[in-house]
Amino acid sequence: DTAVSQTPKYLVTQMGNDKSIKCEQNLGHDTMYWYKQDSKKFLKIMFSYNNKELIINETVPNRFSPKSPDKAHLNLHINSLELGDSAVYFCASSRRAGAGDTQYFGPGTRLTVL
Amino acid sequence: GDSVTQMEGPVTLSEEAFLTINCTYTATGYPSLFWYVQYPGEGLQLLLKATKADDKGSNKGFEATYRKETTSFHLEKGSVQVSDSAVYFCALGQSGNTPLVFGKGTRLSVIA
């Protein structure tokens, strides 16, 4: 069974479009995250939710909006896509909030904006 | 704020060579330290961790020791294999609602 899954795996779209990436975890964890990895592999936290509540919101354009319908899901919606949004987006989860806990990552969604 | 510095890659080694990837950190308090590995086309996965000073994390032949006196958590493996080719990330985590702080990653290529 996949612990943290993301869909889609690849997403190619035009500038200006709106798109969503979905994430689900079946580990029973309380906390979920979205990360952005650029072409140089640099990993940056975007958001974190604990029990459906936003607890970390780094400096991210407000075109990015996370939504957590329940503890097991954290979706990322992106409005008005720009070229600079091209990256790999990773979802992750941990048993509880607090970066001392091990995080489990999904396989990533490679977003390409043309 | 907290930060992690790891050696820049890429690192290219022959099979069975000894591996060291350096990682140093700056942090307040007593963070947990992690090594994550990212194989090609996959997400990150935990390789090993240490939660307090002098702890040694180990997994799959990799080891790292939490050295508070030198603020380091260097990753070592005695004999690398081609299957170890990946990007390795050192990371630091504090308690509370703070994000993991990652280093920039070190790409390792092992050639037969």
Side-chain angles (χ1 to χ4, degrees):
Chain A
D1 275 349
T2 305
V4 182
S5 59
Q6 297 178 225
T7 53
K9 190 167 173 62
Y10 299 96
L11 186 51
V12 181
T13 188
Q14 301 287 332
M15 262 175 40
N17 284 350
D18 303 338
K19 290 293 177 187
S20 292
I21 307 171
K22 297 187 175 182
C23 177
E24 176 180 2
Q25 54 96 1
N26 63 6
L27 297 167
H29 287 170
D30 284 349
T31 310
M32 296 184 73
Y33 310 82
W34 277 111
Y35 288 88
K36 179 181 180 181
Q37 186 177 48
D38 64 23
S39 58
K40 295 186 178 178
K41 298 293 188 183
F42 184 61
L43 205 61
K44 181 176 165 56
I45 182 75
M46 300 173 70
F47 303 102
S48 175
Y49 272 71
N50 186 56
N51 281 319
K52 302 193 300 175
E53 289 194 22
L54 182 66
I55 57 171
I56 295 174
N57 186 357
E58 294 293 294
T59 309
V60 176
N62 58 16
R63 298 181 294 102
F64 290 79
S65 52
K67 283 192 172 49
S68 182
D70 56 57
K71 227 170 60 161
H73 295 85
L74 180 62
N75 303 322
L76 183 65
H77 188 76
I78 315 169
N79 287 329
S80 303
L81 279 155
E82 300 178 357
L83 293 176
D85 298 332
S86 295
V88 181
Y89 292 85
F90 288 102
C91 177
S93 73
S94 62
R95 192 160 43 101
R96 55 177 184 261
D101 247 36
T102 300
Q103 294 187 15
Y104 294 80
F105 284 76
T109 296
R110 182 176 294 277
L111 171 64
T112 303
V113 182
L114 304 175
Chain B
D2 295 350
S3 66
V4 172
T5 302
Q6 59 182 107
M7 62 188 284
E8 298 217 3
V11 174
T12 303
L13 294 173
S14 297
E15 213 167 15
E16 299 184 3
F18 185 86
L19 169 71
T20 300
I21 301 178
N22 289 338
C23 171
T24 57
Y25 68 91
T26 304
T28 55
Y30 304 95
S32 295
L33 300 175
F34 304 82
W35 277 101
Y36 281 84
V37 58
Q38 184 179 23
Y39 297 103
E42 297 183 13
L44 280 72
Q45 55 185 273
L46 180 69
L47 181 59
L48 52 85
K49 66 188 268 189
T51 58
K52 60 183 189 297
D54 299 326
D55 267 4
K56 178 187 280 189
S58 60
N59 186 25
K60 298 182 182 180
F62 291 89
E63 291 183 342
T65 301
Y66 188 164
R67 302 274 189 214
K68 193 161 176 62
E69 64 275 14
T70 54
T71 62
S72 65
F73 193 54
H74 304 322
L75 182 69
E76 296 183 336
K77 185 174 185 182
S79 174
V80 293
Q81 305 300 313
V82 171
S83 56
D84 294 326
S85 298
V87 181
Y88 292 82
F89 293 90
C90 185
L92 173 162
Q94 300 273 21
S95 57
N97 295 337
T98 55
L100 268 179
V101 177
F102 283 91
K104 291 188 176 181
T106 302
R107 183 182 297 277
L108 170 66
S109 295
V110 180
I111 52 178

